[in-house]
């Protein structure tokens, strides 16, 4: 029984380590002085990978996130507000654009995942993030 529990524990640890290989550290989005938008680049390596961005906004603004590619690199955008709640439609559907209005003050997290309802792909993507 002891060996079985050790094997199960080791298996779980390896699974967690494998998932963390695909995880990337959050990247803070910063706008140039007097700019209302920025373009960021990310990399996805399959269904298990994701890219996380963080953006600080003020209360009452409108945030628009749009994938610049218009090809087969389909993504899912998920937005988490400063209170930790998902904003808008957070299912696994393919979506290239998210619009959040009005915003609350604080850090929003933008999760980018490969859309699981489309053909798998690996590579780069670009997002334009606009706040007005």
């Amino acid at each position: 029984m002891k060996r079985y529990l050790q094997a199960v524990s080791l298996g779980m640890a390896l699974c967690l380590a494998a998932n963390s290989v695909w995880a990337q550290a959050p990247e803070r989005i910063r706008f140039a002085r007097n700019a209302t938008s920025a373009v960021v680049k990310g990399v996805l390596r399959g269904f298990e990978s994701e890219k996380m961005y963080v953006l600080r906004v003020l209360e009452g603004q409108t945030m628009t996130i749009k994938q610049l590619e218009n090809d087969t690199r389909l993504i899912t955008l998920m937005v988490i507000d400063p209170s930790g709640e998902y904003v808008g439609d957070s299912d696994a559907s393919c979506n290239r654009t998210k619009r959040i209005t009005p915003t609350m003050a604080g850090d929003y997290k933008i999760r980018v995942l490969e859309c699981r309802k489309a053909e798998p792909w690996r590579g780069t993507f670009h997002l334009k993030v606009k706040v007005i």
Side-chain angles (χ1 to χ4, degrees):
M1 181 68 169
K2 184 177 179 182
R3 284 209 150 159
Y4 174 76
L5 290 175
Q6 287 174 336
V8 169
S9 296
L10 178 62
M12 291 174 62
L14 288 174
C15 287
L16 290 173
N19 282 341
S20 67
V21 167
W22 299 113
Q24 302 173 18
E27 179 181 331
R28 181 156 299 270
I29 299 172
R30 300 184 193 283
F31 292 176
R33 186 176 203 89
N34 297 321
T36 59
S37 66
V39 174
V40 293
K41 176 182 174 181
V43 176
L44 294 177
R45 294 179 175 88
F47 284 144
E48 297 304 316
S49 74
E50 73 175 57
K51 177 68 179 175
M52 179 83 75
Y53 297 95
V54 179
L55 176 66
R56 179 158 297 180
V57 299
L58 302 175
E59 183 176 353
Q61 294 182 304
T62 297
M63 176 173 51
T64 305
I65 307 154
K66 182 177 182 181
Q67 181 184 15
L68 296 180
E69 290 83 16
N70 196 15
D71 57 17
T72 59
R73 290 175 278 180
L74 298 175
I75 62 171
T76 297
L77 292 168
M78 301 175 94
V79 180
I80 305 165
D81 70 20
S83 70
E85 298 293 321
Y86 282 95
V87 182
D89 184 12
S90 63
D91 68 6
S93 296
C94 305
N95 53 53
R96 296 179 189 268
T97 304
K98 281 277 190 187
R99 185 171 181 262
I100 309 300
T101 190
T103 58
M104 63 174 63
D107 281 343
Y108 277 77
K109 294 177 184 167
I110 302 166
R111 288 182 65 199
V112 183
L113 304 112
E114 184 177 335
C115 180
R116 290 185 168 103
K117 294 183 178 180
E119 291 296 318
W121 62 274
R122 293 172 184 246
T124 61
F125 64 88
H126 296 82
L127 296 179
K128 180 177 183 179
V129 181
K130 182 176 183 178
V131 178
I132 54 174

